[in-house]
Amino acid sequence: MERQDDGGDELFGSVSHDGAEEPGSPACERSGSQQREVPATMRRSDYLPVAGEEKNLGADFVNTDARSNESIPMKNMYTDEGSPLYPRLGPYFTDGRRRVDYVLAYQIQKPNSIRRQSSKFSDNNFIRRLRRSMSMRSSRAPLQPKEDPEIAAQKQRTDYHEDDKRFRREEFEENLLETGLELEKDEGSKIPGIGFLKIHAPWDVLCREAEFMKLKMPTKKVYEVKQGSNLVEKIRLFIHKVTTPLHPKVDANRPQSVKSLSHPFSREKQHLFDLSDRDTFFDSKTRNSIVYEVLKRTRCTRAKYSMGITSLLANGVYTSAYPLHDGDIEGVNAEPNDRKLLYEQWASYSVFYKYQPIGLIRKYFGEKVGLYFAWLGVYTQMLIPAAIVGVIVFLYGCATVDDNIPSMEICDPRNNITMCPLCDHACSYWKLVTACGTARASHLFDNPATVFFSIFMALWAVLFMEHWKRRQMRLNYIWDLTGFGEEEEEEHKDHNRAEYEFRVMQKTMKQEHSTPKDEKVKLTCTDRMPAYLTTVVMMSFMILVTFAIVFGVILYRISIKAALHMSNYPVARSNIRATVKTTAAIINLIVIIIMDEIYGAIARWLNTLEVPKTDKSYEERLIFKTFVLKFVNAFTPIVYLAFFRGRLVGRPGNYLYVVGSYRMEECAHAGCLMELCIQLCITMLGKQLIQNNLFEIGIPKLKKLLRRRKSDMEEEVNKSLQRHEKDHILGPFVGLSPEYMEMIIQFGMVTLFVASFPLAPLFALLNNIIEIRLDAKKFVMELRRPIAAKAKDIGIWYNLLRGLSKVAVIVNAFVISFTSDFIPRLVYQYMYSLDGTMHGFVNHTLSYFNVSDFQPGTDPLQPMHLGYKVDVCRYKDYREPPSSSAPYELSKEFWAVLAARLAFVVVFQNVVMLMSDFVDWLIPDIPKDISLQIHKEKILMVELFMKEEQGKRLAARDNHNQDNCTSLPSANQSPAQPRSRPATHAVFWEKKRKEREANVAPVYNM
């Protein structure tokens, strides 16, 4: 049964336009026949100016009188008191029945005398505005002599520009009407200077466009979804039952074991679909996407150059275009809707421990947004075991720190080891025992368990990718995206961008006389060559700027270390290393956050210069530029600490200097791993706390506050705004690239240098728990509703993740072998140790230097700082002693350790890669139960169509039998007809013969 509400909607201007429907659907034909009964004067009755508009009623259209009879009178919409008959503030037309599926906003100019302020709203305000508008119409007069003609000419030019925009809007809106859409204007909104065009798609348009777009819709046929019987599926079902309290309270009445069979919508096969409730058959997400497709297809052709909705937005004809949210989420009068349900079950911090309602997110925002949050949820879940193992590794380091022989030797005061100065002239000799705290702290992150954790994280990355592929395939099955091919994706997504069309229009204007009319104008590589060169030069320059900033921080560390050594304050000299490390890491963090914003703006600017043709091309190019710049910005300081610091130093008496007298900095005796850990910790925590969370909370709220201030609206006025006005105040949706980029950089920090910071997965997990709710609150409350976009995967981001997981294996191999002391300890223990233990390892790694070999001017100012004269000092390196035949040359121990390090890199990389590939091969991309269900769906679909064809044949046979039965009486009566025909013919011809004889007789008498 079909709802009668659809017929009621026809009374409010739902008309059939030429070309708006096609035959084939009985339901659509019935609705079309009802609409054709409407008189011709009601052709534009759906294009209604809302009562209370503050516009010049006689200037909006050229033929105002002709159209005045085609709109519903204002007194029918409003009562005597001026209040609307249908006072619903939801996303509906003024009649309160037709839903607003899309909104176009545009600028309107109003005279100062009637420009409305936010404090002038009252019950009779509409009458006063109408009177002022009527008085403005009656008081028009030619230009008075006292008015300046130049000023009048300037006003006329401005009005002409606005009239040109208005004429383009009128043409575009007329073309929208011809497609069957229904429109309603609202230029009397409570946002000054903004007019709104509300768009509604009637049922016949939804049917037509759904068929064109090949949208899969649920049919009446349902089938039982049987769960898999293997061990993996049983474990998954068991976990699902155990975690039932953690699932959100949505879709509680929907049976989970039953699924509707979906099929591309067709008007000829409407009997296959459940159309009992037309209001809910096409949900709001689908309606919005259908209207958006119509908008992209509609063009203005009266002007010299064709313009679509993207060009109209780029040229300011319309300022914004957006679908509406379902309703309010706060307030006593807020009706139940999906947006409110998302706010309660997803965007609230009180449900942080629950799973995300991915199905409801997809239903409201579309598949592309749904896939992002599904991926973020899977990533966060997979961080739980990684965080647990990382904490265990860290606790193992804490438990074994007292048993670590190298750190015990460093902390033993009986080992009277005098170290060489850390800087020239200002620094003096120092005792190795003063590095006891750094050595003990380094063991927390540099222990044998770190190697195991690196291997574990490499396999974890592979398991995460495989788990996501399986989860993605399951979602494709649930969301009916298994048949969504690349051709359909290209057809729906690859439309020309506004900037591209605008540049093509400019090129057409320049080549108007030289280019044949039939030749299609497009942008070539030659046109884009200056932009490409600019991109290469600017990106290279920005990377060099990043290197220069890192080098500047290096100079800061060198100079501040020397300054602290020369300080007279004991507090400043007490812990120089920790002070320098922490302040340098904080400076790096601040620079990274600032440069991230700058690099993002530069990437967008460079992308705009290139003028990509399609949205997909624009997004992919922007992702590449932004990823390169932000990745270099975030990881350059870390890469320097991991692989370059302490290796470009030289030795005492022959140090390497930069920028004059700046000596390159050394690592601590326990290695640079501790400093790398501090840098990673501060960068991760700082970026997550400041850049991700604080910016995502503070900046959107600040922008929203500024938009409200700019609109000059009071709080009580804001509460009375209609849905399209409230959504206009929200921020525009800029895409998912910033969200993905943030997580990709975090994934790099979790996997690339996890050998130096086992707590990185824990920090990432804590951040993501907050990040999910922050993003949810932003999508539900702070942003306009995005256009629902179909997608069956996360696109280029999966390739970036896979690439990072491969690079992480190599990076961690080099961190373990070259940054940590893991390999030197193994070499010493199995090649040089007398008893097979680590006793004597510290002394083995220290070389000797005769202080008499210092270069002039580099010896310490205070050689007696330790209270005794120093003849020989020690430094960390594998070099020959001063008494050897080749003093200070690299020793054979250095080459043995280097060979072991390189061998470890090769073995570690190949073993972990082999294990990763084996896990990848072992786990199928498609779950077995999903592949069986997909096969079952195909069989059921074939059976459904076979039954339909069989039913058609039976119906045709019954009709044939009925025709044979009805033809029997006519056969019995047929013999009577020949008998009557001769009699009739005889009378006729006898009469003719007599007339002919009567006329001919006089001739014969003559």
Side-chain angles (χ1 to χ4, degrees):
M1 295 296 293
E2 296 176 357
R3 293 173 60 91
Q4 299 298 323
D5 295 347
D6 296 324
D9 288 346
E10 309 296 340
L11 300 177
F12 291 85
S14 176
V15 298
S16 175
H17 303 277
D18 296 337
E21 64 176 68
E22 297 180 5
S25 169
C28 291
E29 289 174 358
R30 286 196 296 271
S31 62
S33 62
Q34 294 175 2
Q35 294 167 354
R36 284 190 289 269
E37 295 174 1
V38 180
T41 58
M42 295 291 291
R43 295 286 291 182
R44 298 187 181 275
S45 62
D46 45 18
Y47 188 37
L48 307 176
V50 177
E53 292 178 353
E54 284 187 8
K55 63 180 182 178
N56 192 339
L57 300 178
D60 275 356
F61 303 101
V62 178
N63 189 3
T64 308
D65 297 335
R67 298 189 183 185
S68 60
N69 296 328
E70 299 175 0
S71 62
I72 296 177
M74 293 183 182
K75 64 181 180 181
N76 291 346
M77 292 183 186
Y78 281 71
T79 61
D80 296 337
E81 293 81 6
S83 59
L85 292 173
Y86 301 96
R88 300 178 66 177
L89 295 179
Y92 295 92
F93 274 18
T94 313
D95 55 31
R97 298 189 179 186
R98 289 174 292 177
R99 183 182 182 87
V100 179
D101 297 317
Y102 218 86
V103 170
L104 302 179
Y106 53 91
Q107 292 281 351
I108 54 176
Q109 283 192 346
K110 302 177 182 180
N112 294 330
S113 60
I114 64 171
R115 190 164 294 177
R116 183 167 25 133
Q117 301 297 329
S118 61
S119 60
K120 294 183 179 180
F121 291 101
S122 62
D123 294 335
N124 297 324
N125 197 24
F126 161 69
I127 300 175
R128 293 199 301 270
R129 293 198 306 270
L130 185 59
R131 288 176 180 174
R132 285 198 300 267
S133 178
M134 297 302 291
S135 64
M136 288 292 295
R137 293 178 61 187
S138 61
S139 62
R140 279 185 191 156
L143 182 66
Q144 299 296 327
K146 62 181 181 180
E147 187 171 357
D148 190 350
E150 185 176 351
I151 297 177
Q154 292 176 358
K155 291 182 179 179
Q156 186 175 359
R157 286 196 296 270
T158 304
D159 293 341
Y160 173 78
H161 181 64
E162 293 300 323
D163 288 342
D164 182 61
K165 291 183 179 180
R166 179 165 53 82
F167 291 149
R168 291 185 184 274
R169 284 198 297 267
E170 287 181 7
E171 180 192 355
F172 186 72
E173 290 157 10
E174 289 176 0
N175 294 337
L176 289 180
L177 288 171
E178 292 177 0
T179 63
L181 297 177
E182 300 175 5
L183 313 177
E184 182 181 79
K185 271 192 173 182
D186 180 8
E187 293 187 351
S189 67
K190 298 177 182 179
I191 302 179
I194 300 295
F196 297 95
L197 180 69
K198 296 180 282 187
I199 304 175
H200 167 75
W203 174 254
D204 58 340
V205 174
L206 295 174
C207 294
R208 182 192 69 207
E209 296 298 327
E211 184 173 358
F212 290 167
M213 297 169 63
K214 300 178 183 179
L215 295 180
K216 275 191 172 184
M217 304 302 295
T219 63
K220 298 178 182 177
K221 177 71 175 179
V222 295
Y223 66 95
E224 183 180 0
V225 179
K226 294 183 179 180
Q227 303 295 337
S229 57
N230 56 6
L231 180 61
V232 177
E233 293 302 321
K234 290 181 178 179
I235 295 175
R236 189 179 66 83
L237 290 176
F238 174 76
I239 295 175
H240 186 273
K241 291 181 180 179
V242 171
T243 59
T244 300
L246 302 180
H247 290 275
K249 298 178 181 178
V250 296
D251 294 334
N253 299 325
R254 180 182 177 184
Q256 300 294 331
S257 60
V258 176
K259 186 178 184 295
S260 296
L261 195 64
S262 297
H263 185 265
F265 186 81
S266 173
R267 288 173 289 179
E268 295 181 353
K269 299 176 181 179
Q270 285 196 22
H271 57 279
L272 297 178
F273 304 94
D274 185 10
L275 303 179
S276 58
D277 190 355
R278 290 187 176 182
D279 292 338
T280 59
F281 182 73
F282 294 108
D283 56 12
S284 60
K285 168 183 68 71
T286 307
R287 297 174 68 99
N288 299 339
S289 60
I290 287 176
V291 174
Y292 181 62
E293 288 294 325
V294 177
L295 288 175
K296 289 192 295 186
R297 205 169 56 235
T298 307
R299 309 189 69 81
C300 295
T301 56
R302 291 182 190 171
K304 193 171 184 179
Y305 305 101
S306 176
M307 298 180 69
I309 182 62
T310 52
S311 297
L312 295 175
L313 288 169
N315 291 324
V317 178
Y318 293 102
T319 58
S320 59
Y322 52 92
L324 297 183
H325 282 291
D326 276 358
D328 294 323
I329 56 178
E330 296 175 339
V332 182
N333 299 325
E335 299 179 357
N337 55 73
D338 288 342
R339 187 189 183 197
K340 185 177 181 180
L341 188 59
L342 282 172
Y343 175 75
E344 295 172 349
Q345 298 295 328
W346 181 46
S348 176
Y349 291 110
S350 60
V351 294
F352 74 94
Y353 59 92
K354 290 188 176 182
Y355 290 101
Q356 300 181 85
I358 298 297
L360 186 60
I361 297 171
R362 173 253 180 180
K363 177 186 174 184
Y364 192 78
F365 293 109
E367 286 78 6
K368 194 170 185 179
V369 177
L371 278 175
Y372 164 70
F373 282 103
W375 172 84
L376 183 57
V378 170
Y379 173 47
T380 305
Q381 291 177 17
M382 289 295 292
L383 282 174
I384 296 176
I388 293 174
V389 177
V391 171
I392 293 175
V393 170
F394 178 74
L395 293 178
Y396 170 81
C398 296
T400 59
V401 66
D402 293 331
D403 300 330
N404 182 37
I405 297 176
S407 60
M408 292 171 60
E409 290 182 347
I410 294 175
C411 296
D412 191 354
R414 293 174 296 179
N415 295 329
N416 190 19
I417 300 177
T418 303
M419 303 296 294
C420 295
L422 297 174
C423 62
D424 291 342
H425 214 52
C427 303
S428 184
Y429 305 106
W430 57 284
K431 289 288 189 180
L432 182 60
V433 69
T434 58
C436 175
T438 305
R440 291 174 61 88
S442 297
H443 179 73
L444 302 179
F445 306 100
D446 186 7
N447 53 70
T450 304
V451 180
F452 160 75
F453 189 56
S454 299
I455 299 175
F456 171 81
M457 288 302 295
L459 298 178
W460 171 88
V462 177
L463 288 173
F464 163 60
M465 305 300 291
E466 292 300 317
H467 180 38
W468 166 243
K469 283 194 293 186
R470 293 170 62 85
R471 173 64 172 161
Q472 184 174 259
M473 197 63 207
R474 190 176 297 276
L475 291 176
N476 286 340
Y477 163 71
I478 297 174
W479 296 348
D480 297 317
L481 295 174
T482 51
F484 186 71
E486 295 182 358
E487 296 180 359
E488 293 174 338
E489 189 173 2
E490 295 293 329
E491 178 184 355
H492 293 157
K493 295 175 65 175
D494 285 359
H495 296 269
N496 291 351
R497 299 179 63 250
E499 292 80 1
Y500 180 83
E501 291 185 351
F502 183 70
R503 286 287 298 275
V504 169
M505 184 178 67
Q506 288 181 332
K507 185 178 179 180
T508 307
M509 294 174 65
K510 293 179 180 179
Q511 301 178 355
E512 183 176 4
H513 302 291
S514 60
T515 305
K517 294 184 179 180
D518 298 336
E519 184 178 349
K520 186 176 181 181
V521 179
K522 61 180 181 180
L523 297 183
T524 61
C525 291
T526 306
D527 299 326
R528 293 191 175 100
M529 188 57 65
Y532 291 155
L533 293 177
T534 304
T535 299
V536 173
V537 172
M538 282 298 298
M539 290 192 65
S540 302
F541 176 72
M542 288 296 105
I543 293 175
L544 291 177
V545 167
T546 303
F547 293 161
I549 292 173
V550 173
F551 185 71
V553 176
I554 294 173
L555 295 182
Y556 161 79
R557 277 199 291 257
I558 296 173
S559 58
I560 199 68
K561 182 186 296 182
L564 291 177
H565 275 288
M566 296 175 62
S567 175
N568 295 325
Y569 295 98
V571 178
R573 301 183 61 178
S574 61
N575 205 346
I576 296 176
R577 285 184 178 272
T579 304
V580 173
K581 294 174 187 176
T582 307
T583 55
I586 293 174
I587 291 174
N588 271 324
L589 169 64
I590 296 173
V591 170
I592 287 173
I593 292 175
I594 295 174
M595 297 306 294
D596 263 356
E597 302 300 321
I598 296 175
Y599 287 161
I602 291 175
R604 290 189 294 271
W605 173 66
L606 293 175
N607 222 38
T608 305
L609 289 181
E610 294 180 6
V611 195
K613 184 177 181 180
T614 62
D615 288 334
K616 183 177 181 181
S617 176
Y618 179 89
E619 184 179 11
E620 289 180 350
R621 295 186 185 191
L622 180 61
I623 289 171
F624 172 75
K625 295 181 183 66
T626 309
F627 176 75
V628 170
L629 291 177
K630 291 193 173 184
F631 186 85
V632 171
N633 181 42
F635 288 97
T636 299
I638 300 172
V639 170
Y640 165 74
L641 288 175
F643 303 122
F644 294 99
R645 184 179 177 181
R647 287 167 179 80
L648 303 174
V649 178
R651 60 171 179 82
N654 189 22
Y655 284 113
L656 177 65
Y657 295 90
V658 293
V659 194
S661 60
Y662 287 93
R663 196 180 93 184
M664 290 299 292
E665 54 186 347
E666 304 176 41
C667 289
H669 181 269
C672 288
L673 200 66
M674 189 61 196
E675 297 186 31
L676 178 62
C677 175
I678 293 174
Q679 181 68 55
L680 275 170
C681 179
I682 293 179
T683 303
M684 278 197 69
L685 291 178
K687 280 178 65 68
Q688 293 173 0
L689 180 64
I690 299 174
Q691 190 175 25
N692 299 347
N693 297 337
L694 187 61
F695 282 9
E696 290 188 10
I697 296 175
I699 290 182
K701 288 187 177 297
L702 182 61
K703 289 182 177 180
K704 187 176 181 181
L705 180 62
L706 291 177
R707 282 192 296 268
R708 287 184 178 178
R709 290 282 182 87
K710 188 176 180 180
S711 301
D712 196 20
M713 290 186 301
E714 299 176 1
E715 189 66 26
E716 55 271 11
V717 175
N718 182 44
K719 292 181 180 179
S720 63
L721 293 178
Q722 298 189 36
R723 181 73 269 149
H724 60 276
E725 296 169 332
K726 292 181 179 179
D727 286 5
H728 187 267
I729 301 174
L730 300 178
F733 176 70
V734 295
L736 292 169
S737 295
E739 313 298 335
Y740 273 115
M741 188 65 66
E742 175 186 327
M743 291 295 106
I744 293 294
I745 297 297
Q746 183 200 88
F747 181 81
M749 290 192 173
V750 167
T751 56
L752 289 179
F753 295 94
V754 72
S756 60
F757 190 38
L759 295 180
L762 176 63
F763 290 158
L765 174 63
L766 297 177
N767 172 78
N768 288 3
I769 292 175
I770 303 174
E771 179 74 20
I772 290 176
R773 306 305 163 181
L774 277 177
D775 286 346
K777 191 177 290 290
K778 181 171 64 175
F779 272 77
V780 174
M781 298 182 64
E782 305 294 339
L783 297 179
R784 295 173 188 164
R785 188 174 185 178
I787 300 166
K790 282 186 176 293
K792 62 185 302 181
D793 52 41
I794 61 176
I796 191 176
W797 301 108
Y798 180 82
N799 298 328
L800 292 177
L801 289 169
R802 195 166 186 85
L804 284 176
S805 63
K806 298 293 184 183
V807 174
V809 178
I810 303 173
V811 171
N812 282 296
F814 276 94
V815 168
I816 294 173
S817 61
F818 284 91
T819 308
S820 72
D821 283 339
F822 178 74
I823 299 301
R825 288 171 185 171
L826 288 180
V827 172
Y828 174 79
Q829 185 174 3
Y830 293 103
M831 290 183 63
Y832 299 104
S833 177
L834 299 177
D835 54 359
T837 63
M838 294 302 297
H839 289 286
F841 171 74
V842 174
N843 186 63
H844 177 76
T845 59
L846 296 178
S847 299
Y848 293 89
F849 177 76
N850 194 334
V851 297
S852 61
D853 294 334
F854 274 121
Q855 292 181 356
T858 61
D859 54 328
L861 286 176
Q862 300 177 355
M864 300 297 293
H865 173 70
L866 297 179
Y868 56 88
K869 183 180 179 181
V870 177
D871 296 324
V872 177
C873 64
R874 310 290 295 272
Y875 62 98
K876 187 177 181 181
D877 204 348
Y878 292 100
R879 292 183 179 271
E880 296 292 341
S883 60
S884 70
S885 58
Y888 308 125
E889 294 294 329
L890 296 175
S891 63
K892 60 179 182 180
E893 288 86 358
F894 171 83
W895 300 109
V897 171
L898 179 62
R901 283 173 166 170
L902 294 176
F904 177 83
V905 170
V906 174
V907 173
F908 182 88
Q909 174 185 341
N910 286 278
V911 169
V912 175
M913 288 287 189
L914 183 63
M915 295 173 63
S916 301
D917 293 339
F918 176 74
V919 172
D920 191 2
W921 170 81
L922 188 64
I923 302 176
D925 295 342
I926 304 176
K928 186 176 181 180
D929 61 323
I930 295 299
S931 59
L932 293 176
Q933 296 297 338
I934 293 174
H935 182 67
K936 182 179 180 180
E937 272 196 357
K938 294 179 180 179
I939 296 176
L940 291 175
M941 187 63 68
V942 172
E943 292 179 355
L944 182 64
F945 281 105
M946 292 295 293
K947 289 182 180 179
E948 182 185 1
E949 292 297 329
Q950 185 178 2
K952 287 182 179 179
R953 287 197 297 268
L954 292 175
R957 187 184 304 169
D958 293 341
N959 293 334
H960 181 69
N961 294 336
Q962 291 180 2
D963 292 341
N964 293 336
C965 293
T966 54
S967 62
L968 291 177
S970 60
N972 296 331
Q973 295 177 1
S974 59
Q977 293 177 358
R979 289 196 297 268
S980 62
R981 284 176 185 170
T984 305
H985 289 177
V987 174
F988 176 78
W989 288 112
E990 181 65 19
K991 184 178 180 181
K992 282 292 185 180
R993 185 182 63 80
K994 290 182 179 180
E995 292 177 355
R996 195 166 50 247
E997 289 176 353
N999 293 331
V1000 174
V1003 177
Y1004 285 111
N1005 292 333
M1006 291 174 63

